[in-house]
Amino acid sequence: MSAAPTTRRRVELVLVPLVAAFCMAVIIGTIVLDRDRGQCPSPTWNNNVTLSLAGSVLNSANAAAITACAGADCTPTGPVFAKSATGNTRVLTHQDDGSWLLTLGAQPPSALNFRVYDQNGKILAAQSTALNWTRVSGNERCGGRMAGMNVVLDVP
């Protein structure tokens, strides 16, 4: 009877930790190999922010141009109509419903600064907005399209 507890104790002390270590090695190896399994495809999507003006009807009607800046990078680069701005992959266009559509690339910024200008280049309103994007396609590693954002800018 004394042989059974010794064999059982050897199994508990030697075999179980070895099997557990082997299983952990397989799991970690699978995770590492899966993470590096291939390159991500090049982005073929854009992300959008719709900017609506609220507040003074007179000043909103006088809005001739809007800039959207992420840090020092602005679209368009000055108070001009977006369609005449060149050299930027982002586009800011005035829509028929009075809103402005900012088309961003695949990696949208986490915050934007908007400025509304009148015909003479005078700033009518300015606002900083933090953007909390929600992914609607793709994955965390390779990215994907984000849900469109709606921002309301109050023009005094």
Side-chain angles (χ1 to χ4, degrees):
M1 292 239 355
S2 64
T6 305
T7 305
R8 182 175 179 195
R9 185 164 301 270
R10 284 186 189 154
V11 168
E12 289 175 352
L13 294 176
V14 176
L15 189 59
V16 170
L18 285 174
V19 170
F22 177 75
C23 290
M24 290 297 293
V26 169
I27 291 170
I28 292 170
T30 303
I31 291 170
V32 169
L33 290 176
D34 185 54
R35 186 187 67 198
D36 297 330
R37 69 178 169 177
Q39 293 183 351
C40 294
S42 60
T44 57
W45 64 87
N46 288 316
N47 295 297
N48 298 310
V49 173
T50 301
L51 178 69
S52 300
L53 301 180
S56 170
V57 174
L58 178 63
N59 283 341
S60 294
N62 289 333
I66 295 181
T67 59
C69 300
D73 183 24
C74 293
T75 303
T77 54
V80 296
F81 286 103
K83 61 185 173 187
S84 63
T86 59
N88 200 328
T89 58
R90 291 189 270 176
V91 179
L92 181 65
T93 54
H94 196 212
Q95 304 297 300
D96 291 337
D97 65 358
S99 65
W100 295 75
L101 181 67
L102 175 61
T103 302
L104 302 164
Q107 296 296 326
S110 60
L112 287 169
N113 298 315
F114 294 101
R115 287 192 182 100
V116 180
Y117 296 90
D118 67 7
Q119 295 285 348
N120 299 320
K122 177 185 169 199
I123 295 177
L124 297 174
Q127 176 178 311
S128 295
T129 303
L131 303 172
N132 190 11
W133 295 98
T134 302
R135 186 176 316 285
V136 293
S137 69
N139 58 47
E140 196 65 34
R141 184 173 76 85
C142 293
R145 185 178 314 279
M146 302 289 192
M149 302 283 286
N150 294 312
V151 174
V152 177
L153 193 147
D154 188 38
V155 179

